[in-house]
Amino acid sequence: MSEFVDGWQFLADFNNIRTVTVFGSARFQKGYHWYDVAEELGTMLAKNGFGVVTGGGPGIMEAANRGAYEGKENLSD
């Protein structure tokens, strides 16, 4: 129960920050169409000032995280 409460408190701290939550299949790997789409989405979100929150799993969630990381790195371009 405490993990559940901690999770909600963590999300409540994002009250004034624009964030998008991404959950998706763990079965897709790099090179699959939907993995690539999720990675591109993460990049676009980061470049437009959005934070990306995922469940941290592999597949689609990994892709969104990877894209957000790459998008944030390229903000100085």
Side-chain angles (χ1 to χ4, degrees):
M1 183 65 166
S2 68
E3 290 178 354
F4 181 75
V5 171
D6 289 345
W8 279 108
Q9 183 58 53
F10 175 79
L11 292 174
D13 293 340
F14 285 102
N15 192 29
N16 294 320
I17 301 172
R18 299 182 328 166
T19 58
V20 173
T21 302
V22 177
F23 288 104
S25 175
R27 296 177 186 219
F28 294 109
Q29 299 174 357
K30 190 158 185 65
Y32 284 84
H33 173 73
W34 293 114
Y35 184 103
D36 297 339
V37 168
E39 189 172 7
E40 183 178 347
L41 175 62
T43 299
M44 291 183 339
L45 288 167
K47 285 183 176 181
N48 286 283
F50 286 84
V52 175
V53 177
T54 73
I60 296 299
M61 292 178 283
E62 171 190 334
N65 285 335
R66 184 183 306 268
Y69 180 80
E70 292 171 1
K72 184 179 175 190
E73 292 244 317
N74 293 321
L75 283 177
S76 61
D77 291 349

